[in-house]
Amino acid sequence: GALKYIGLLVEAAATNRVLYSNDPGNTNWVLTGGSRVPAGETWNGMVGQNIGSTGANWHRIRNISSITSAAATEVVTFYYKTGTSGRIRVSCRNETAVTESNVYGVIGGTYSTTSAAGIVTVLRDVPLSSGVRAISIRFVPTTPTELHSFNIGPDSNTSGETITIFGSQLEAGENYTSHISTTTSQVTRAADVTSSPQVSRSADSARVSNLSPWYNAMEGALFVEASTVSKSNAYLAILALDGSNYIMLRQDDTTEADFIFAVDGTAQAVLREAATGSLAAPSKVAGAYKFNDFAGVLKGAIMAADVTGVVPSVTYLGVGGTSSFGAPANGHIRAIRYYPKRLTNTQLQALTV
């Protein structure tokens, strides 16, 4: 089937303790019984060798450079191809105590295990490409301080039956990582680090720059239905000239809704509900104004009224905040309405229930 993207691979640091990990024909790889014949094929830089039984299922090959004291937990991986035996045997051997833990059976089936040298767990046995498979086995040795070797063979008592070996990896830890090629010495791969350039997204807002012909400079009313998660300065709707001349509906604090007017930086009216002004849930708020006549209503209740003040000159309508004021609504605006007349307080209450 088609390959499926599963995400970005980011791995921890790892060391492959197997020397000449890609060349099981090298002298670092030694037979225990059995036979070794070049397979005449390579895979991902690894040179295949046919490992054959000469009459016993324990005939196998091992890399002698990896015969060392084991870590508390190790993972051994072999890259192989099904040979004429159709079976596999991986042995984790305590060379000091002469005991083994084995994983063996029909390739791709359910494997049997033994645990005389420690606990073995098959982490994967999967096809990769071109018929090559990877088997990874976690080994928790009974006595880590003693010498251990890791072996693979065709698990066959029939002389001449084979399995093809391409390479190996031995690493400390609980899980396998991607292959690390070695030659004369162990190789450590540094931990992967992923990064990306910092990207800033501007706050969402909308702006209506042409108020003609519907805007009335002498009087009007502004209605908003909105919710916000901001605890301060959530600008919902603004009729403004600049940062000093404006008509504004906002939430100013956790429980405070405001309807504010300013001319040349001087407040003309500040209509505030400080007790039940939370807009965390969708709420309706409105205000109306004309010279010396201002009123604000929240959820059907009059916030406050003011009978002194002038109406500022404005040139645009901002929805959800603007660059002049900085703090965005940070929520949802369901509806906004403008009326070119000073609605009565009763009409404002009817709009906001």
Side-chain angles (χ1 to χ4, degrees), residues 37-308:
V37 177
E41 61 178 312
T42 61
W43 179 82
N44 279 13
M46 303 180 192
V47 182
Q49 295 283 326
N50 290 328
I51 307 303
S53 169
T54 52
N57 64 1
W58 50 266
H59 289 173
R60 64 219 185 180
I61 194 169
R62 71 186 189 278
N63 188 292
I64 59 174
S65 63
S66 61
I67 301 178
T68 61
S69 298
T73 303
E74 306 222 84
V75 174
V76 61
T77 296
F78 288 103
Y79 299 93
Y80 73 97
K81 181 181 283 189
T82 302
T84 57
S85 75
R87 297 177 63 87
I88 188 174
R89 177 178 289 259
V90 176
S91 300
C92 303
R93 179 180 174 85
N94 183 323
E95 297 286 352
T96 305
V98 195
T99 56
E100 290 184 359
S101 296
N102 297 294
V103 173
Y104 60 97
V106 176
I107 291 171
T110 301
Y111 294 115
S112 301
T113 61
T114 63
S115 56
I119 299 171
V120 288
T121 304
V122 178
L123 301 178
R124 64 169 174 169
D125 180 34
V126 296
L128 299 177
S129 63
S130 302
V132 175
R133 301 176 66 91
I135 185 168
S136 297
I137 296 169
R138 181 189 296 132
F139 176 53
V140 182
T142 302
T143 312
T145 55
E146 296 180 338
L147 299 181
H148 291 78
S149 67
F150 300 86
N151 309 257
I152 185 170
D155 190 44
S156 174
N157 291 314
T158 301
S159 183
E161 290 194 337
T162 64
I163 189 171
T164 304
I165 308 304
F166 288 88
S168 180
Q169 181 150 307
L170 178 65
E171 53 195 316
E174 296 283 338
N175 295 296
Y176 59 86
T177 65
S178 58
H179 185 65
I180 302 168
S181 298
T182 68
T183 52
T184 59
S185 60
Q186 299 178 8
V187 174
T188 297
R189 181 187 57 235
D192 293 332
V193 177
T194 180
S195 63
S196 61
Q198 178 175 308
V199 177
S200 297
R201 184 188 68 235
S202 300
D204 296 327
S205 63
R207 179 167 173 151
V208 179
S209 298
N210 184 6
L211 302 185
S212 227
W214 48 266
Y215 182 70
N216 182 353
M218 305 303 296
E219 61 179 296
L222 195 59
F223 165 90
V224 173
E225 182 179 3
S227 61
T228 175
V229 298
S230 291
K231 294 185 177 180
S232 64
N233 289 340
Y235 295 108
L236 306 176
I238 307 163
L239 284 161
L241 172 66
D242 51 30
S244 298
N245 298 271
Y246 53 81
I247 301 166
M248 178 193 306
L249 280 173
R250 71 173 184 178
Q251 176 163 307
D252 186 44
D253 207 339
T254 305
T255 60
E256 187 171 287
D258 291 345
F259 192 35
I260 301 177
F261 302 79
V263 174
D264 294 332
T266 300
Q268 301 298 301
V270 179
L271 312 178
R272 176 169 294 155
E273 173 50 63
T276 60
S278 171
L279 303 181
S283 304
K284 297 176 182 179
V285 59
Y289 56 90
K290 66 180 180 180
F291 179 68
N292 287 340
D293 185 8
F294 303 86
V297 174
L298 172 67
K299 305 173 189 176
I302 295 177
M303 295 191 290
D306 194 313
V307 294
T308 302

